[in-house]
Amino acid sequence: MLTCDICGKEVLLLEEMKTHLLLSHLENAIKCPLCSLSGESYDELCFHISSAHPEEQLTVQGPTDIISSSGGTETGRTDRELSQTSQSCSAEDSCDTAGGGSNRDPGVISDSRQLELNSTPESRCLSLGRTELITLGPETRTETINYHKEDNDWFESGHNKPKEKRLFSPRKDKLFSCPMCALVCNSCFILQEHVELHLEEQHSVEGNCSAYRMYSSGERRLECPICSVIYNDSFSLQEHVELHLDHQAASGSATVGSLGSDLKLATQLQQEEEQQWRHEAAQQEREDFKKLQMQFGLDGKGGYRRQMERTMEKAVARGHMGAAEFHHRKAEMMESLASGVDDGRTRTMGVTRVLYEYYQTESRDVAHVWLSADTDHYSSSAGDKGWGCGYRNLQMLISCLLRVDMYLPYLQERVVPSIPQLQRMIEEAWRAGLDPQGASHFNQKLQGTRAWIGATEIYSLLISLGISAHIIDFHRPTGPRDTHPQLFDWVKQYYCDPSRSSRLPPSVIQTSLPPLYLQHEGHSRSIVGLEQKKNGSLCLLVLDPGSSSSDTSKLLNRDTISRAIRHVRKFSGSLKHKQYQVVSVQGVLTAEEKQRSIFSSGTLRAERIP
């Protein structure tokens, strides 16, 4: 027979005793010791006490009684109360139990019920069934007592601290002792959890031990940055660090040779890299220079004659020219080169005369027209295509000068020279001392090259012939949208003769003035006249050497002149290059003026407008 230690009921089997304890004394007979709440489970009642009576729990100094309906007493403690109880009890507790003398046996934890764990393993309280164990420290002994109805008071008379309360467990299972404290339990799983708490606490203590060692004594601790040794003063730490440095200096002397070799290798690699970079830069510069020479015809691949021969050879190879025609035209070219006179294959005569007749009859919206003296048009040929525009404009200018009596005595041959002959004449001007900077630019040589010429070379040739010339530089736009209205105004002043006494000049005037050489980047043209509309707008009449002879010849036909003249008119919106240069012929020079012009060409300067 088994007898209940609480109510004295006798049962036959152990399972019936567990059922009795669960139904009669655990779930149905628990009552809150601080209010009238009852009939709740143990976990619910613990939650009720911790939430509804927090202030009362803080003031309680001992275990709280939970009164059962049967008159017995059951202990219900929170974690905070158990911790306070463990802290108040000493290792040698002299308090007696409610039933008489103490019976100090090792505490046993049964596996019927487990209470919550306190903050430290030493003060943990585990309660299973009706048996409770409280461990108060590694040296604290435990005792078990039987509960009786009259044990309602947990305090002895005359004592202010609570008595130790221990419940007896009838089970005799295998016991497990904690290797780190005096706790003994009968479940290996509970012991494992208990030991893990010990280990967690130990790790947290070790994590803070360095800071504790540093500041617990209140002294200043300095750590070596090399080996982490702690010193109390800075002087000791300084001496210690200097020892480290001296040792490193002594050991580093053995590696001086290796450091020197590394420095030598790095210097060698840097020099090789710089040499490679200079080589690549020089090669790129040579390639750019070759492209520039090719662009301006200074690549040494021949001039007018060689280009003409290659062009005719390609025409024969493609079947566009027969062998007989090839030899005939080559013979004419050789004769022209020998005589220095242009063969006239690209010349179109009488252009300005045709323009004068056109404006006489077709001047509906035109107020005034000024034209140069009679000028022939010269277009580029197969021998100078791509680079001969400057020479062709010079031929146009000379064709006009040959028709003006003032300039005729200064033109020795009284013919229009060929392009190779013009190159020879410019070289002679350089040798006379004209434009030394331009001569050095072309390396004193134009013959046999495809070099481009510009305003300065035209000026040098005219001065060498004794003809007065001026260069006017329109170096920047002077109107909206990059236009040059001052260029048009200057051309109007050039053609208008202020000495004319007539108040109403005729609408079309052909002057005795030579055409103007107009140069801009990459190309040049000739201005042969100026047209002024009735609304005051100005329009230049320009002959372009890039136009073929067949296109220019359309100006000579009355049926096609209306369409062909569109290519001659150039309004302000058509000239939008950043810079323009104009070469104008303004009379002849005396011998003294020619010498002064040659001397001043050492620092050749143009008249800048604006």
Side-chain angles (χ1 to χ4, degrees), residues 188-262:
C188 61
F189 301 104
I190 298 175
L191 178 63
Q192 180 180 358
E193 183 180 7
H194 173 77
V195 173
E196 288 178 355
L197 289 176
H198 275 295
L199 297 177
E200 290 178 2
E201 183 182 15
Q202 182 177 359
H203 291 165
S204 62
V205 171
E206 290 177 355
N208 298 328
C209 66
S210 60
Y212 175 78
R213 289 195 303 267
M214 182 69 71
Y215 301 105
S216 60
S217 62
E219 297 179 356
R220 184 182 179 185
R221 300 299 180 91
L222 302 175
E223 182 178 354
C224 175
I226 300 177
C227 63
S228 302
V229 175
I230 304 299
Y231 284 91
N232 296 332
D233 58 287
S234 59
F235 299 102
S236 301
L237 178 62
Q238 181 178 0
E239 294 179 355
H240 174 75
V241 174
E242 288 177 353
L243 291 176
H244 278 296
L245 298 178
D246 294 340
H247 178 70
Q248 291 180 359
S251 60
S253 61
T255 61
V256 171
S258 60
L259 292 177
S261 61
D262 293 342

Side-chain angles (χ1 to χ4, degrees), residues 294-352:
M294 184 181 299
Q295 179 181 358
F296 290 97
L298 299 174
D299 52 356
K301 292 185 178 180
Y304 177 86
R305 174 184 172 181
R306 181 57 185 159
Q307 182 170 331
M308 179 66 77
E309 290 178 349
R310 286 200 301 267
T311 303
M312 291 190 298
E313 289 172 358
K314 291 180 181 179
V316 172
R318 294 172 182 174
H320 299 162
M321 182 184 297
E325 184 180 0
F326 169 78
H327 291 288
H328 177 70
R329 293 186 60 177
K330 184 176 180 181
E332 289 181 350
M333 180 190 67
M334 299 300 294
E335 183 180 354
S336 174
L337 294 177
S339 62
V341 181
D342 186 77
D343 55 9
R345 287 183 172 275
T346 63
R347 181 178 61 179
T348 304
M349 302 176 63
V351 176
T352 54

Side-chain angles (χ1 to χ4, degrees), residues 38 108 126 179 192 212 247 250 341 382 414 441 483 544 547:
S38 63
V108 179
L126 300 175
Q192 180 180 358
Y212 175 78
H247 178 70
V341 181
R414 298 186 180 185
H441 173 75
T483 57
D544 191 346
S547 299

Side-chain angles (χ1 to χ4, degrees), residues 141 228 324 472 497 527:
R141 296 182 180 180
S228 302
I472 299 91
D497 188 1
I527 301 175

